Amino acid sequence: MTKKEYRETFDEEEAVGWLAIDKKVEEVYGTQNPRHYASVLRYVLGGNDPLDGTSIYDSEKQEFHRHFVSYGMSELYYNEDAVESEFSRWGFEFTFRLKPFEEDEEDPVWIIEVMNNLARYVFESGNWFDENHFVPANGPIRTNTKAEIDIVGVAFTLDPELGTISTPNGKVSFLQMVGITSAELERLKANPTKTEVKALLDELRKDNPLLITDLTRK
């Protein structure tokens, strides 16, 4: 698509990238209305959260879980300069699949803060995440809990249902964050290669194809 075609196809007020994400998610969830949590003030306007918003879907696939999809790591809005870009802004959005946790009486929005912390790192450092990267959480991924949680980091893989899409603003991969235990984190620290991360994730997939994070897993 050329800039001329872009201008003729889209309106300047149109959220071109956002709509492309919605279209892909609708292939999985149809007409389900997600619970959407928007940032109070956009990051470009001085807000603290890089993500413009995060949607939470209820999934019955494999076992009931909540599926989070972020909006803000890719180019969400009308931008003629993005037309010829290979990647849409950072080239990815975060996703996360969480098995219900007994202390989460309402939507587990703490995940959105975890996503924003990771997004803030990307925006401030200029370093981005990719498939088979991993990052420690410097403690349990969920704080303020009575339970002993051993999920202390996340590894990244391509979301098995959302994958990668081509948008008018460039390519977007849906990077799923997968909770890893302290033993798994130490294993990856000892051999911090994409090959080792992939090997670990492939082992987890055998019993957990969608790589749903269970906070009670040890």
Side-chain angles (χ1 to χ4, degrees), residues 29-87:
Y29 290 104
T31 58
Q32 181 183 149
N33 289 320
R35 280 92 65 202
H36 186 78
Y37 293 85
S39 61
V40 176
L41 181 66
R42 288 183 60 194
Y43 195 69
V44 296
L45 299 177
N48 187 52
D49 295 334
L51 299 179
D52 283 21
T54 303
S55 288
I56 305 177
Y57 292 84
D58 293 331
S59 176
E60 299 286 350
K61 303 282 182 65
Q62 187 175 309
E63 63 177 310
F64 179 80
H65 63 279
R66 309 211 185 277
H67 192 187
F68 298 71
V69 180
S70 77
Y71 292 78
M73 302 306 295
S74 61
E75 182 58 65
L76 298 176
Y77 306 104
Y78 182 97
N79 183 354
E80 293 178 22
D81 293 332
V83 174
E84 298 176 353
S85 300
E86 180 179 1
F87 300 101

Side-chain angles (χ1 to χ4, degrees), residues 140-207:
I141 193 173
R142 189 194 190 283
T143 58
N144 301 319
T145 173
K146 298 177 182 178
E148 292 186 7
I149 292 177
D150 193 40
I151 302 298
V152 294
V154 296
F156 296 94
T157 190
L158 200 62
D159 189 292
E161 291 186 296
L162 299 179
T164 298
I165 61 173
S166 294
T167 81
N169 291 336
K171 187 165 64 175
V172 178
S173 294
F174 293 91
L175 284 186
Q176 182 172 320
M177 301 156 49
V178 181
I180 55 177
T181 65
S182 56
E184 292 161 350
L185 179 60
E186 290 306 311
R187 168 182 167 179
L188 297 182
K189 284 182 176 180
N191 184 10
T193 64
K194 284 190 171 185
T195 301
E196 187 66 16
V197 176
K198 183 179 184 303
L200 171 62
L201 292 172
D202 285 344
E203 291 171 18
L204 295 176
R205 280 191 186 93
K206 292 177 181 178
D207 296 319

